[in-house]
Amino acid sequence: MIESSDFRNARIPLNHGAGHIPVLGFGTLIPDLAVTMNATRDALEAGFRHFDCAERYRNEREVGEALQAGVAAGGIAREDIFVTTKLWNTNHRPERVEPAFEASLERLGLNYLDLYLIHTPFAFQPGDEQDPRDQNGNVIYDSGVTLLDTWRAMESLVDRGKCRAIGLSDISLSELLTIYEAARIKPAVVQVESHPYLPETELLEFCKEKDVVFLAFAPLGHGMRPGPLEDPVILAIAARVGKTSAQVLLAWAVQRGTALLTTPKGADRARENFNISALPEDALDEINRIQTRQRLNDVVKTGSPGFIPRVQST
């Protein structure tokens, strides 16, 4: 349950007493390292306290440096910052999990993580190459490890006290059920693509029932054009309530009970994305009636990140 009617300060409690996750999160999937540092500092200054990273993004060090500089300048305590990073597919074997975790921790310049996620349910060939391919260009998967094997190693990180909570990303409800039922430490967070074109209602209801935080990435449709930002329903509501399309989409996400990640790359956009407020109920109903269905990221099929539009409208 979201605590606070002020979305900017709203938090959701994590299960097994692992603290709270700020509802509004800053995603760090930014290829340019200089932009990463500036955008992270701008997000912190705008008010964001939840930062989502990943080994795969290859910019943990830059995010860490920006956070340390921003925290020092703003007199912010480490305990006020919620930092997530993710285990990449090439490190699913249990003996690789802790070294990968420690390497991310070192790059981020932290002595503990608030949340560690399995980036995708797919295990790739172990090694230093993040995107192992065969001679035909096909991903080389690792059949020698199960997702449950990896989860057991993740649980050990919590036992050691350096990671407060663990979860999964880019996962389907059926895959989540398998882990949830077998887990000694239940997933605290599930991070998946979600927006009005991909509401993932069944997964959201399961998460609510089990006290798992549903964390939506690409809540603005990842900037795809055309996409949710240009949907006539969203545009009409934005004009009616005096907000931008982005603010409408983010408010909808919060009001349906999810945390979210957005990646503003400038100070003005960071302030816009952070300054959201509740929509009237009739606006929520209008958004919920949108019929377009569109998945933007096919990572759930292969484990390889990438935003590929596949539109099916009804």
Side-chain angles (χ1 to χ4, degrees):
M1 187 174 78
I2 293 174
E3 299 179 353
S4 176
S5 57
D6 178 358
F7 292 173
R8 294 169 297 182
N9 296 311
R11 305 179 304 161
I12 304 176
L14 298 171
N15 58 27
H16 63 267
H20 296 72
I21 183 170
V23 166
L24 301 183
F26 176 75
T28 62
L29 178 50
I30 303 171
D32 186 284
L33 299 181
V35 174
T36 295
M37 294 189 71
N38 290 332
T40 301
R41 284 195 296 262
D42 288 340
L44 189 65
E45 189 172 325
F48 285 91
R49 295 296 180 263
H50 169 189
F51 294 84
D52 181 87
C53 314
E55 173 189 352
R56 173 64 173 169
Y57 302 163
R58 297 188 175 97
N59 62 0
E60 288 173 311
R61 197 170 301 281
E62 286 71 24
V63 172
E65 289 176 6
L67 285 177
Q68 289 158 33
V71 164
I76 302 166
R78 164 66 182 97
E79 292 71 26
D80 294 331
I81 304 293
F82 189 99
V83 182
T84 303
T85 198
K86 308 182 194 77
L87 177 82
W88 182 236
N89 303 350
T90 51
N91 291 318
H92 275 216
R93 295 213 168 204
E95 67 273 15
R96 296 182 66 89
V97 171
E98 186 172 6
F101 172 85
E102 292 290 350
S104 283
L105 206 59
E106 187 278 328
R107 286 189 293 266
L108 287 163
L110 301 174
N111 56 20
Y112 72 90
L113 271 180
D114 297 281
L115 176 65
Y116 197 42
L117 302 178
I118 298 178
H119 202 141
T120 90
F122 296 87
F124 288 0
Q125 174 181 274
D128 295 332
E129 173 52 56
Q130 286 191 346
D131 192 26
R133 302 271 174 168
D134 63 20
Q135 59 186 7
N136 297 315
N138 299 312
V139 172
I140 304 173
Y141 294 96
D142 181 4
S143 60
V145 61
T146 69
L147 188 58
L148 185 56
D149 293 334
T150 309
W151 186 257
R152 297 290 189 221
M154 298 280 284
E155 290 176 327
S156 295
L157 295 175
V158 179
D159 294 337
R160 293 187 182 99
K162 283 196 168 183
C163 181
R164 295 186 170 175
I166 50 177
L168 301 123
S169 177
D170 296 313
I171 195 165
S172 68
L173 178 56
S174 61
E175 291 166 323
L176 174 60
L177 277 169
T178 301
I179 296 299
Y180 188 89
E181 290 168 357
R184 174 173 59 87
I185 299 176
K186 303 302 183 186
V189 174
V190 171
Q191 182 183 136
V192 295
E193 176 187 346
S194 184
H195 40 73
Y197 290 3
L198 189 69
E200 293 281 19
T201 305
E202 189 178 5
L203 177 58
L204 175 58
E205 291 307 313
F206 174 84
C207 288
K208 287 180 177 179
E209 178 187 338
K210 301 297 185 181
D211 291 324
V212 177
V213 174
F214 183 112
L215 177 56
F217 75 78
L220 305 181
H222 202 65
M224 290 290 184
R225 309 281 183 171
L229 282 167
E230 295 176 334
D231 189 278
V233 171
I234 302 300
L235 290 172
I237 292 170
R240 193 163 77 235
V241 300
K243 292 287 188 177
T244 66
S245 292
Q247 290 170 325
V248 168
L249 289 167
L250 298 179
W252 173 81
V254 174
Q255 284 176 262
R256 67 196 298 257
T258 78
L260 60 86
L261 299 171
T262 184
T263 308
K265 296 184 180 69
D268 289 345
R269 191 55 56 89
R271 286 190 290 269
E272 175 190 339
N273 288 2
F274 193 73
N275 184 28
I276 62 172
S277 54
L279 299 171
E281 287 297 322
D282 61 341
L284 298 177
D285 292 340
E286 289 175 51
I287 298 171
N288 290 335
R289 287 195 295 269
I290 291 174
Q291 295 296 307
T292 302
R293 290 295 174 260
Q294 180 180 11
R295 180 181 292 281
L296 304 172
N297 190 335
D298 263 359
V299 64
V300 293
K301 296 181 180 178
T302 66
S304 295
F307 287 83
I308 306 169
R310 297 184 182 278
V311 181
Q312 290 181 339
S313 301
T314 57

